[in-house]
Amino acid sequence: MSSAGPASGCDAPPVGVDGILRERGQREVFCGLTGIIWLHRKIQDAFFLVVGSRTCAHLLQSAAGVMVFAEPRFGTAIIEEKDLAGLADANEELDRVVNRLLARRPDIKLLFLVGSCPSEVIKLDLSRAAQRLNGRFSPNVRVLNYSGSGIETTFTQGEDACLSALVPDLAFSDEKQLMIVGSLPDIVEDQLTRLLGDLGIGKIVSLPARLAGQMPGVGPNTKYLLAQPFLAETGTALDKRGAEHLPALFPFGAEGTTAWLHAAAQAFGVSEARFEQVIAGPRERARKGLALYREKLAGKRIFFMPDSQLEVPLARFLAGELGMELVEVGTPYLHKGHLIDELAALPPGTMISEGQDVDKQLDRVRAARPDLTVCGLGLANPLEKEGLSTKWAIELVFSPIHGYEQAGDLAELFARPLHRRDLLRV
Amino acid sequence: MQLTVWTYEGPPHVGAMRVATGMRDLHYVLHAPQGDTYADLLFTMIERRDHRPPVTYTTFQARDLGKDTAELFKKAARDAYDRFQPQAMIVGSSCTAELIQDDPHGLSLTMGLECPVIPLELPSYSRKENWGASETFYQIVRTLADKERRPPPAVAESGPRRPRANLLGPTALGFRHRDDVVEISRLLADLGIDVNLVAPMGASPADIVRIGEADFNICLYPEIAAQACSWLERTFRQKTVKTVPIGLNATREFVAEVCAVAGITVPADLDQGRMGWWSRSIDSTYLTGKRVFIFGDGTHAVAAARVASEELGFKVVGLGCYNREFAREVRAAAEKYGVEPLISDDYLAVEEAIEAAAPELVLGTQMERHIAKRLRLPCAVISAPVHVQDFPARHSPQMGFEGANVLFDTWVHPLVMGLEEHLLTMFREDFEFSDAAGPSHLGGHASSPLPSSREGLGEGSASETAAETATLAALAPSPDPSLAGRGEVEGWTAEALAELGKIPFFVRGKARRNTERYAAEHGVTTITRDTLYEAKSHYAR
């Protein structure tokens, strides 16, 4: 697959000994603040207060689109010139903003102070601010902090930072339980929890929970499944609390979901017969749903630009279950530990790239002319204009795509742009 | 610190991007952290541009902090020059880079790039988007304009030549800038005036060099071009046409001013469009004295107030702007209409003022559209910031005589529909009018529910339409008329109903119909959760 790169030898991308291309240069990605947009929907009594600049507020507004008008539970404390003059002043200002906010929104039970590039660069200590505010508002409101800054986090890493800030705060629990880690649309979370329950796994909890007061406990008898591939820090934090990670494929497609459930089944001593009995029906439905798209997608060449870290599992699903050819699988960050099964399940020789130099990567896209390029909204229309079909990547983070019942929908997301291209006569 | 949920303007470097993206063969190297590239999607999605904005971001990360970032800047600038070969570059910092104090100007000077490099000082913590655009355009003009250039003699050997003007101010992401330029260029052509240069939109750095060859300047958007115009006035003795031609009377005044500056007489047979007659026709009588609240950028708000009061016979009950730079103009206009001026960038203050003024029509930005929806008031958009639907495919200027036609239609439509809504309510007990049918354009209910799960990132309008639909969508299933009479479907179990309720609202109706059809066709009498998913997989296409 490396032959897909540009022809000129001196421009050949630097592929490491592990066969993975690592690039540094201009990156066309969101920062971690964007995670707020789905996290605030998931945790229904939490408020996300970004401490940042007008750019941060403008980003959230642009990314959240119309949600901004629905009394969202997020906002930005915009740093002004006078805050830059002295840091003590900035702390007082922050307290004033939080006081006003909590007075206006007495329903808030969990407040996240979210760091940004400006607040990190001026070294405004949000963890101390959170401690101070906790002292004042406890026990009515819990105040936590994490950083969603672009200098530290890329897009979905914002969720990782948020969840890993939650972990030390979780109660201790010695109970034997399975924890699903990663925020999922409610319907998907319910489906997966139900299947795991049907397997006979007694206690199943989710991180994050839907309410601040219902966050699960954690302890040495907790085994956890990651529902999302971008939870490196959260995994580490859970390990520190004594919980045990169950390595598995991520639950995309029929095979991914089966492997994911199977990891839990094995860890909780569920018999193979029972496992087969529980999953047979839904798995069959997923396969049936996928069959419809296989003929449309098989043999089509796909290129992933880096965005969400979902790229590797999705590429595995598209290649393995739908027969697509992988030109390049770009990811902003590759956690080899959590992706060990995924990497093994990719077709041999798949070109994986970590990081980005966007202009060089676009050169590779143009040279390879894939049938479908998965990319961000800043690149999609320009590539379409060049005659390259695109699938904008953000939709993959916002749509229900995990589990058996969504397998067909997930395939459809990739088939739709190709179908539309064939349909249009304009 | 200022607590903000919604901002009318972006940071100043977004203003600089609007200038750069409007121009050709200019490249912007922006010292900015990873993530600031989000601004690209404003141009590629909202304005639907088919090229990437000509902006290279250094996208530094935490590990680069320290002296590394200066090197990173130099490499990005060098790579951008080599790749894009621009005629000129602008360089500057975003808010975070402003804090780490690398010096983009000094750094780029030492690199010896083979094109002019224009440094931008955009104070991110005190200024905003419009200011950034204005400053950027001014710096570009000041640096690139060839001060020796002058217009050719008014009378040459071949005879007198036509007067020529520069059209200044239109940028990328400007509210109707594309069509305003077309409209005003056409109007000038009808008057016998040539356009020397349109800038920034469509101009290259080489074009800016010959900006002095025009006889005079037309300042279309003072927010962006006033500063440059005033410099050109001083440097080239070019006069500035300051009337902004929004509305019928303002356009007439604009024509008069342009002709006076150009030294020509106003043609008697100028086509002045239909707006004047439309407004005088008896169908418009009911518009008289309608209470209107106006908010937007200073220029559009002041122009709208004049159109509303003089040309449509409305009563202006509120007037304001979000850009402090134009507070003086707005205060003067507010005094004329006897209302309290509202200079604020806090949408909550605007919402309070609207509620207090109790208008019958709101003219504003995207934000006022949402406030009006919440308050169930008719509304039209007159100013940025706007969503994707206000970058329309059709020709729809705000300026000139065609612009006046557009304004009439746009502002009156929600009112006509408002009347329709009123009648619907009056006669709602009549069998032909369903009480459930909400107004056709106001989104249905006073408080719209939150979008249900994760949709809505990026392109605003799709999810917005979905949200509007949602307010009308019944949560619980009701008998599908197409199934009536078949009689096989007895009903849904509570568990299946609950599951259905979790399906995103915009596909819930389809899911319900498919499931019931599936049940009817397969002789299933009780719809369980499994039936729901069996049907989903059966019909998946």
Side-chain angles (χ1 to χ4, degrees):
Chain A
M1 280 293 172
S2 56
S3 62
S8 125
C10 59
D11 279 351
V15 178
V17 284
D18 51 2
I20 292 166
L21 164 64
R22 287 186 178 79
E23 272 186 319
R24 293 196 59 186
Q26 188 188 186
R27 307 187 85 180
E28 183 87 16
V29 289
F30 279 123
C31 65
L33 294 182
T34 330
I36 290 170
I37 291 157
W38 65 86
L39 285 166
H40 93 282
R41 305 295 311 146
K42 186 69 195 177
I43 312 175
Q44 293 159 14
D45 51 3
F47 193 101
F48 293 79
L49 180 65
V50 176
V51 182
S53 64
R54 182 168 299 280
T55 311
C56 306
H58 195 238
L59 158 86
L60 284 176
Q61 171 172 330
S62 309
V66 77
M67 272 197 203
V68 174
F69 301 102
E71 274 302 308
R73 279 173 286 101
F74 60 81
T76 309
I78 294 185
I79 298 171
E80 294 168 300
E81 236 166 11
K82 59 178 194 272
D83 302 309
L84 297 174
L87 288 186
D89 185 37
N91 281 314
E92 280 169 29
E93 282 288 293
L94 182 60
D95 290 6
R96 183 182 59 79
V97 166
V98 169
N99 279 333
R100 191 178 155 212
L101 173 71
L102 291 179
R104 256 180 55 187
R105 298 294 303 263
D107 51 324
I108 297 305
K109 297 280 177 278
L110 177 59
L111 175 67
F112 285 103
L113 302 178
V114 188
S116 66
C117 303
S119 74
E120 295 294 330
V121 167
I122 64 172
K123 301 211 173 357
L124 182 56
D125 191 341
L126 290 184
S127 70
R128 279 186 57 189
Q131 265 176 22
R132 187 175 66 236
L133 290 163
N134 257 325
R136 184 172 316 161
F137 294 106
S138 163
N140 295 331
V141 185
R142 182 87 182 111
V143 185
L144 296 175
N145 80 288
Y146 71 91
S147 171
S149 74
I151 55 176
E152 291 154 306
T153 59
T154 305
F155 196 29
T156 48
Q157 279 180 311
E159 172 169 336
D160 188 28
C162 173
L163 298 190
S164 62
L166 271 174
V167 172
D169 211 45
L170 298 179
F172 175 79
S173 163
D174 213 12
E175 219 176 330
K176 191 174 175 192
Q177 62 177 3
L178 176 66
M179 185 187 281
I180 303 175
V181 184
S183 86
L184 293 166
D186 289 354
I187 186 167
V188 175
E189 187 182 308
D190 291 348
Q191 286 166 1
L192 294 174
T193 305
R194 208 157 52 225
L195 278 170
L196 290 162
D198 291 349
L199 290 174
I201 297 171
K203 187 170 183 196
I204 303 149
V205 294
S206 290
L207 184 72
R210 293 175 201 186
L211 289 171
Q214 295 172 2
M215 292 297 166
V218 65
N221 285 320
T222 301
K223 296 181 197 299
Y224 69 93
L225 273 175
L226 292 175
Q228 304 280 19
F230 44 73
L231 298 172
E233 298 295 324
T234 309
T236 309
L238 285 168
D239 295 344
K240 272 191 204 152
R241 297 287 308 264
E244 183 195 340
H245 176 222
L246 305 177
L249 290 181
F250 289 90
F252 301 116
E255 306 312 319
T257 309
T258 303
W260 190 79
L261 293 168
H262 195 247
Q266 281 194 318
F268 282 80
V270 178
S271 74
E272 289 299 317
R274 173 144 192 198
F275 180 74
E276 196 53 37
Q277 185 200 341
V278 168
I279 64 143
R283 185 178 58 196
E284 192 45 38
R285 284 202 291 264
R287 286 178 176 161
K288 217 165 113 188
L290 287 173
L292 291 160
Y293 297 104
R294 197 181 163 88
E295 56 186 295
K296 288 177 191 160
L297 292 173
K300 295 284 193 300
R301 299 164 63 247
I302 188 166
F303 193 118
F304 281 89
M305 312 265 305
D307 192 59
S308 62
Q309 297 184 49
L310 290 168
E311 295 84 2
V312 170
L314 291 177
R316 179 267 304 159
F317 159 70
L318 292 170
E321 299 190 42
L322 293 159
M324 293 189 84
E325 279 181 36
L326 309 175
V327 179
E328 176 173 330
V329 182
T331 177
Y333 175 70
L334 189 70
H335 190 293
K336 280 188 170 174
H338 287 171
L339 288 177
I340 189 160
D341 290 1
E342 294 285 352
L343 291 169
L346 282 175
T350 299
M351 157 95 150
I352 298 173
S353 62
E354 183 184 11
Q356 187 177 35
D357 184 331
V358 69
D359 284 310
K360 287 185 183 159
Q361 194 169 37
L362 284 170
D363 286 343
R364 297 201 294 277
V365 170
R366 291 180 184 119
R369 293 203 71 81
D371 295 296
L372 194 63
T373 304
V374 183
C375 63
L377 291 172
L379 299 171
N381 267 334
L383 285 174
E384 290 283 347
K385 184 65 178 180
E386 294 181 29
L388 291 158
S389 288
T390 59
K391 163 77 221 122
W392 44 286
I394 296 159
E395 200 176 1
L396 299 165
V397 178
F398 283 73
S399 308
I401 58 170
H402 296 70
Y404 288 127
E405 314 298 356
Q406 280 67 236
D409 301 346
L410 178 55
E412 200 271 343
L413 287 177
F414 293 93
R416 194 187 304 162
L418 298 175
H419 175 59
R420 183 167 178 79
R421 184 183 61 185
D422 295 342
L423 194 70
L424 291 185
R425 298 283 177 273
V426 291
Chain B
M1 279 181 202
Q2 187 197 359
L3 180 59
T4 312
V5 174
W6 208 86
T7 107
Y8 283 96
E9 291 184 74
H13 73 257
V14 169
M17 282 185 73
R18 288 177 51 189
V19 171
T21 306
M23 289 180 64
R24 293 180 292 117
D25 297 321
L26 176 86
H27 203 85
Y28 185 13
V29 179
L30 179 60
H31 204 18
Q34 167 178 263
D36 278 8
T37 52
Y38 81 87
D40 282 0
L41 72 86
L42 303 172
F43 299 91
T44 59
M45 297 305 288
I46 296 181
E47 202 178 12
R48 247 184 275 249
R49 287 196 170 249
D50 59 13
H51 282 81
R52 295 173 64 205
V55 183
T56 294
Y57 306 80
T58 54
T59 56
F60 56 83
Q61 293 173 267
R63 60 187 172 190
D64 303 317
L65 292 178
K67 64 173 184 250
D68 243 345
T69 50
E71 276 310 308
L72 206 63
F73 177 84
K74 284 165 84 167
K75 182 175 183 311
R78 167 54 66 190
D79 287 353
Y81 180 79
D82 290 345
R83 179 175 285 267
F84 300 104
Q85 299 277 312
Q87 292 173 7
M89 294 206 327
I90 52 179
V91 298
S93 297
S94 80
C95 50
T96 305
E98 197 181 326
L99 297 173
I100 60 176
Q101 295 182 333
D102 289 328
D103 172 18
H105 182 215
L107 290 172
S108 50
L109 278 185
T110 62
M111 294 173 58
L113 294 170
E114 296 81 36
C115 71
V117 178
I118 304 158
L120 299 174
E121 291 287 343
L122 305 176
S124 310
Y125 297 91
S126 55
R127 302 291 189 170
K128 291 181 255 180
E129 179 178 331
N130 276 325
W131 191 90
S134 167
E135 172 70 11
T136 303
F137 184 49
Y138 165 64
Q139 292 298 346
I140 288 173
V141 168
R142 217 180 72 137
T143 311
L144 296 179
D146 179 351
K147 295 182 186 65
E148 304 306 316
R149 305 266 185 133
R150 289 293 180 272
V155 184
E157 281 170 20
S158 53
R161 66 166 175 86
R162 287 154 61 104
R164 43 166 74 174
N166 293 321
L167 274 186
L168 303 183
T171 62
L173 262 191
F175 177 64
R176 307 296 166 86
H177 287 195
R178 177 197 70 194
D179 299 338
D180 285 346
V181 167
V182 171
E183 208 47 42
I184 296 305
S185 303
R186 189 184 298 164
L187 180 60
L188 293 174
D190 288 349
L191 296 172
I193 295 166
D194 290 333
V195 174
N196 177 59
L197 172 66
V198 180
M201 197 197 276
S204 68
D207 293 331
I208 303 284
V209 170
R210 50 180 191 80
I211 199 166
E213 292 176 7
D215 297 302
F216 62 99
N217 291 310
I218 294 173
C219 181
L220 274 191
Y221 303 101
E223 267 85 354
I224 293 151
Q227 199 187 357
C229 283
S230 120
W231 182 82
L232 289 166
E233 226 170 286
R234 293 196 302 277
T235 310
F236 293 95
R237 308 266 164 248
Q238 288 168 331
K239 286 190 174 153
T240 307
V241 172
K242 286 183 175 153
T243 307
V244 177
I246 297 177
L248 193 56
N249 290 334
T251 303
R252 287 172 179 148
E253 267 172 34
F254 172 81
V255 168
E257 189 182 352
V258 165
C259 290
V261 168
I264 55 178
T265 49
V266 180
D269 58 345
L270 208 57
D271 176 5
Q272 302 200 2
R274 286 173 288 271
M275 199 274 199
W277 165 241
W278 248 238
S279 189
R280 276 182 283 115
S281 75
I282 55 156
D283 194 43
S284 302
T285 313
Y286 83 104
L287 301 177
T288 316
K290 281 259 183 232
R291 299 166 58 82
V292 58
F293 187 99
I294 299 168
F295 194 84
D297 68 39
T299 300
H300 282 88
V302 170
R306 182 176 182 190
V307 174
S309 75
E310 287 178 12
E311 301 173 20
L312 289 165
F314 292 153
K315 179 173 172 48
V316 176
V317 295
L319 180 61
C321 73
Y322 55 78
N323 50 338
R324 215 158 268 287
E325 293 89 346
F326 282 71
R328 203 157 52 131
E329 286 83 346
V330 170
R331 285 204 181 95
E335 199 180 332
K336 200 157 80 187
Y337 303 110
V339 296
E340 195 62 34
L342 174 65
I343 316 296
S344 174
D345 61 356
D346 179 355
Y347 76 98
L348 291 172
V350 178
E351 185 169 56
E352 274 169 28
I354 292 178
E355 270 191 282
E360 293 163 273
L361 174 67
V362 177
L363 300 176
T365 71
Q366 191 57 37
M367 191 56 212
E368 283 67 48
R369 211 170 74 84
H370 285 271
I371 292 171
K373 195 185 283 178
R374 197 147 47 213
L375 301 174
R376 310 201 67 188
L377 293 169
C379 177
V381 170
I382 58 158
S383 160
V386 293
H387 268 330
V388 64
Q389 69 267 39
D390 275 301
F391 285 92
R394 68 179 183 278
H395 183 59
S396 48
Q398 301 285 290
M399 292 184 172
F401 296 117
E402 179 60 21
N405 294 341
V406 170
L407 292 184
F408 182 91
D409 287 347
T410 313
W411 299 6
V412 170
H413 274 179
L415 290 174
V416 172
M417 295 168 89
L419 185 66
E420 173 195 347
E421 183 195 353
H422 180 65
L423 292 174
L424 273 172
T425 319
M426 263 177 73
F427 298 121
R428 71 176 162 194
E429 302 308 328
D430 285 20
F431 70 97
E432 285 177 333
F433 295 92
S434 159
D435 193 23
S440 43
H441 65 296
L442 287 180
H445 298 274
S447 63
S448 61
L450 308 177
S452 73
S453 57
R454 294 183 147 197
E455 81 287 353
L457 188 78
E459 202 239 39
S461 71
S463 53
E464 186 181 1
T465 316
E468 288 177 10
T469 321
T471 63
L472 302 173
L475 222 130
S478 60
D480 189 327
S482 68
L483 296 170
R486 293 199 202 170
E488 299 95 330
V489 180
E490 284 194 350
W492 292 64
T493 63
E495 160 193 82
L497 263 187
E499 194 76 357
L500 182 69
K502 295 179 210 159
I503 293 175
F505 54 79
F506 46 85
V507 289
R508 202 181 291 146
K510 184 180 163 201
R512 175 171 61 80
R513 280 194 303 279
N514 279 352
T515 308
E516 290 176 358
R517 198 166 100 208
Y518 177 88
E521 283 170 7
H522 290 74
V524 177
T525 50
T526 306
I527 295 176
T528 63
R529 201 156 46 203
D530 270 332
T531 322
L532 180 67
Y533 287 121
E534 293 293 348
K536 184 170 191 284
S537 115
H538 183 78
Y539 290 114
R541 257 157 251 280

